[in-house]
Amino acid sequence: MSDKDVLISSQNGVGHIVLNRPKALNALSHKMVLDMLEAMKAWQGDPDIHAVLIEGAGDRAFCAGGDIQAVYENGRTDHDGVMQFWRDEYELNALIENYTKPYVAMMHGFIMGGGVGVSAHGSHRIVTDNSIISMPETGIGFLPDVGGTYLLSRAPGGLGYFYGLTGGRMTADDAIYCGFADYYVPEDKFNALKEAILAGGDVDELIKAHAATPPEGDARWHHTQIADWFDGKSFDEAMAAIEADESEFAQKALKVLKRQCPLSVKSTFRAINDAKNMDSIEPCLGQEFRYADASLYEFNFYEGIRAAIIEKDRNPQWVPATLDQVTEQMVDAMFKPLGDKELKLK
């Protein structure tokens, strides 16, 4: 296989994208995003292309996120360059959401953060037995971006809050139930479906022929309980409901929530709330872009990446240290308007 980080080709009327950094779990670099944008814009207007299929190289991951180590290394010294990466990435997310041709995402293995952004906005999202989908950003001092707040705000009941705030992992069934995927294809049929689509067959008919019912996941099982925690509640009311729930599931969730970055948790709650009133992905990406800009000037994002990726001590020292120390003014500051530097997608 080529040593390029993203392989772009077309065959039998299908545009084919392969994320090709398997050793890095196919993490997205800026160059990969730009190459994908260029190809997809060209295919959009090409009458010979009737569908696009995206996959990740290797067995472990479709895409485990953006290249946050590069953001860590450059964020303090090249603010505009890092923000340009996010501009281009978010443009790609919006393009996928609004694409006029079938966009088939073969979502195997880990699909996290930026990987969600280039899969879960597609028209045909295929998960399988080893699929693990999550938006773990509150654990690194960030918030679910790449249109994550758009998807989370549309999950049934309180599930979007649960998965967004805790960074919890979704199985194939969870992802379908929460609106992050459409179809489950068993692992022994997964590659056969991909090859059939690349051979130029009808996307909908082929998926229908290969799809099955996935094993039931936690989301369906705990949906009513999670809805009781979050539905129609303020952040403080939701936390009180979880604390009052003595079940093992609730206490485990509470422990996770108190371990994540407090400012990120409260900001994510705000962003999901606001996204519920947004009728398209673009304004959701706009508020995420504001948060990204603020994060580059803020302590927690660098501290979270340090603890998780750089030094790997898994012991971030958040500021503020606890949820009750995070004020509404602190959250407001993370979404402050950017004037002429706002994200403009339409």
Side-chain angles (χ1 to χ4, degrees):
M1 186 173 280
S2 169
D3 59 359
K4 290 184 177 179
D5 287 346
V6 59
L7 309 180
I8 294 173
S9 61
S10 62
Q11 54 186 295
N12 305 311
V14 181
H16 188 199
I17 299 171
V18 182
L19 307 177
N20 190 37
R21 298 180 69 196
K23 291 182 180 179
L25 300 183
N26 299 319
L28 294 174
S29 68
H30 197 175
K31 178 67 163 58
M32 293 167 72
V33 167
L34 292 173
D35 288 349
M36 291 168 67
L37 263 174
E38 181 182 9
M40 288 188 59
K41 287 178 178 178
W43 290 334
Q44 180 93 291
D46 186 342
D48 293 328
I49 298 295
H50 67 80
V52 173
L53 184 143
I54 184 170
E55 61 175 314
D59 297 328
R60 296 176 63 197
F62 167 81
C63 174
D67 192 346
I68 58 172
Q69 182 163 341
V71 174
Y72 178 88
E73 293 169 353
N74 300 317
R76 294 184 179 94
T77 58
D78 185 17
H79 176 274
D80 290 347
V82 172
M83 292 308 297
Q84 188 60 48
F85 164 67
W86 274 317
R87 283 183 190 277
D88 294 327
E89 185 181 25
Y90 293 3
E91 181 184 355
L92 178 61
N93 305 145
L95 178 62
I96 293 168
E97 170 69 25
N98 296 307
Y99 215 57
T100 57
K101 299 179 179 183
Y103 180 93
V104 183
M106 304 299 294
M107 300 167 68
H108 79 287
F110 289 106
I111 306 103
M112 298 180 175
V116 172
V118 295
S119 59
H121 298 302
S123 60
H124 297 70
R125 305 164 298 175
I126 318 297
V127 284
T128 189
D129 296 284
N130 72 344
S131 300
I132 298 173
I133 299 94
S134 72
M135 300 296 294
E137 287 83 356
T138 59
I140 59 164
F142 201 49
L143 93 170
D145 69 329
V146 297
T149 59
Y150 180 73
L151 292 162
L152 293 164
S153 71
R154 281 145 178 81
L159 288 169
Y161 295 102
F162 174 76
Y163 284 107
L165 271 57
T166 66
R169 294 181 171 188
M170 301 178 219
T171 63
D173 183 59
D174 298 329
I176 293 170
Y177 191 66
C178 291
F180 280 68
D182 302 299
Y183 308 97
Y184 161 77
V185 172
E187 207 159 345
D188 60 359
K189 295 183 178 181
F190 195 72
N191 283 332
L193 171 60
K194 179 189 75 174
E195 296 302 329
I197 292 172
L198 291 174
D202 182 273
V203 169
D204 291 306
E205 288 184 5
L206 288 169
I207 292 173
K208 184 177 179 180
H210 288 78
T213 301
E216 185 173 304
D218 287 343
R220 292 181 199 272
W221 184 254
H222 292 290
H223 182 192
T224 301
Q225 184 178 12
I226 291 171
D228 287 342
W229 298 344
F230 289 106
D231 260 3
K233 292 184 171 68
S234 67
F235 181 83
D236 290 341
E237 289 170 341
M239 287 298 296
I242 300 171
E243 288 174 345
D245 186 333
E246 297 180 356
S247 70
E248 181 181 352
F249 179 70
Q251 292 308 303
K252 183 178 178 181
L254 185 63
K255 185 176 180 180
V256 172
L257 284 168
K258 290 184 175 180
R259 187 172 67 233
Q260 310 295 70
C261 174
L263 180 58
S264 293
V265 169
K266 279 198 171 180
S267 297
T268 297
F269 187 90
R270 163 88 67 87
I272 294 172
N273 261 359
D274 290 349
K276 285 184 173 182
N277 298 315
M278 298 174 180
D279 60 4
S280 66
I281 193 174
E282 285 80 8
C284 297
L285 288 164
Q287 73 171 357
E288 293 165 8
F289 189 76
R290 290 179 175 184
Y291 192 95
D293 181 85
S295 294
L296 294 184
Y297 296 108
E298 209 259 338
F299 171 79
N300 287 305
F301 188 39
Y302 298 103
E303 174 64 3
I305 299 174
R306 178 206 65 75
I309 304 295
I310 308 302
E311 297 179 12
K312 299 181 180 179
D313 61 18
R314 308 290 176 184
N315 187 33
Q317 303 300 304
W318 305 122
V319 178
T322 61
L323 287 164
D324 59 3
Q325 293 174 329
V326 178
T327 66
E328 289 300 307
Q329 291 75 21
M330 292 174 186
V331 175
D332 289 342
M334 298 304 295
F335 296 103
K336 64 182 183 297
L338 301 177
D340 60 2
K341 292 187 177 181
E342 293 277 13
L343 182 68
K344 298 178 180 66
L345 293 172
K346 273 191 175 180

